[in-house]
Amino acid sequence: MMSSLKLLLVLVPAHVILGLALACLVHRTGKKMSTAYRIILYIPTIMTTVSVATAWSYLYDTDFGVINYFLEKLGIDKIPWLNSSVWAFWAIVIFSIWKFVGTPFLYYYIGLQNIPTSLYEAAEIDGANRRQKFRYVTLPMLTPTIFMVVVLSMISYIQCFDEPYVLTQGGPGISTTTVSLYIYRNFQAQNISYASILSVFLFVIIMIVTII
């Protein structure tokens, strides 16, 4: 249950901040390069989560995984990505950022495209530098987009299921068992009443976030 809260606290800020940073960087590049970057960043989001998570489980393998292979080349000890309660959580975080950051990135990129250039020109006339233009023009104009990204990310990670189910099966122990995965296991165990109550509780939380 706590895993859902931890994922929420880590991944929502990560998607909000990293998505915005990537959008700003791509927005400043030329048209041809920005198209290439957009494709690279957005392609993971349209892939089936289960299939790419399965591939990542091989990458995370302690003894034969590609990630540990390159870490050893750098003189770093092997990391038990999926066998440690600490590292399993961060394995899910890394995968989720790679897989889903393209969505907030795209929202921000569209938002940046819709900001009138006249506002930046007026700021330059007033002597604003790049940091001041970002603070006083870009951020205020992107406020509705930022709010939308926060809400959608919260809804997504409150009901996170696929990543822990495929990568860690909720383990080691219950260290990466999310609310949705816990509900699923109770349905499997024929604890129908308890699982149903949890499902309603989860629905209420999502409804409250959505209403806000």
Side-chain angles (χ1 to χ4, degrees):
M1 302 286 277
M2 287 299 294
S3 297
S4 294
L5 181 60
K6 288 194 296 181
L7 286 172
L8 195 71
L9 293 175
V10 173
L11 286 170
V12 172
H15 280 84
V16 170
I17 296 170
L18 187 58
L20 179 57
L22 290 170
C24 289
L25 290 173
V26 174
H27 183 64
R28 291 172 185 164
T29 62
K31 188 175 181 179
K32 289 184 178 179
M33 289 304 298
S34 68
T35 301
Y37 290 137
R38 276 180 287 163
I39 292 171
I40 292 169
L41 288 168
Y42 195 68
I43 275 182
T45 66
I46 61 176
M47 296 178 180
T48 307
T49 303
V50 173
S51 60
V52 290
T54 303
W56 273 72
S57 66
Y58 289 106
L59 297 179
Y60 279 135
D61 187 272
T62 304
D63 298 314
F64 305 106
V66 173
I67 296 174
N68 276 344
Y69 171 79
F70 285 109
L71 288 177
E72 280 193 306
K73 292 293 183 181
L74 296 172
I76 301 172
D77 293 336
K78 290 180 179 179
I79 295 175
W81 291 104
L82 305 179
N83 302 318
S84 162
S85 58
V86 174
W87 285 109
F89 172 78
W90 290 108
I92 292 173
V93 168
I94 294 169
F95 169 78
S96 296
I97 291 174
W98 170 84
K99 175 75 171 68
F100 299 108
V101 77
T103 301
F105 156 77
L106 191 63
Y107 293 147
Y108 286 131
Y109 185 82
I110 294 169
L112 289 169
Q113 295 285 85
N114 291 327
I115 298 176
T117 55
S118 58
L119 296 178
Y120 291 109
E121 291 168 358
E124 286 179 6
I125 293 171
D126 288 337
N129 56 33
R130 179 175 289 184
R131 182 180 60 82
Q132 290 170 327
K133 285 190 288 185
F134 177 78
R135 179 179 177 183
Y136 296 111
V137 179
T138 304
L139 280 181
M141 294 299 293
L142 284 180
T143 299
T145 306
I146 294 171
F147 185 72
M148 182 184 70
V149 169
V150 170
V151 172
L152 292 179
S153 297
M154 287 179 67
I155 292 171
S156 175
Y157 288 107
I158 286 172
Q159 53 185 340
C160 179
F161 176 82
D162 291 348
E163 301 94 298
Y165 178 74
V166 178
L167 286 173
T168 64
Q169 292 78 50
I174 59 170
S175 59
T176 58
T177 301
T178 60
V179 175
S180 295
L181 184 54
Y182 186 64
I183 291 170
Y184 172 75
R185 285 181 171 174
N186 275 280
F187 272 117
Q188 277 191 320
Q190 299 300 311
N191 298 325
I192 307 299
S193 299
Y194 182 55
S196 298
I197 292 170
L198 290 175
S199 300
V200 172
F201 178 69
L202 182 62
F203 167 76
V204 171
I205 293 175
I206 294 171
M207 183 177 67
I208 291 170
V209 174
T210 304
I211 290 171
I212 292 173

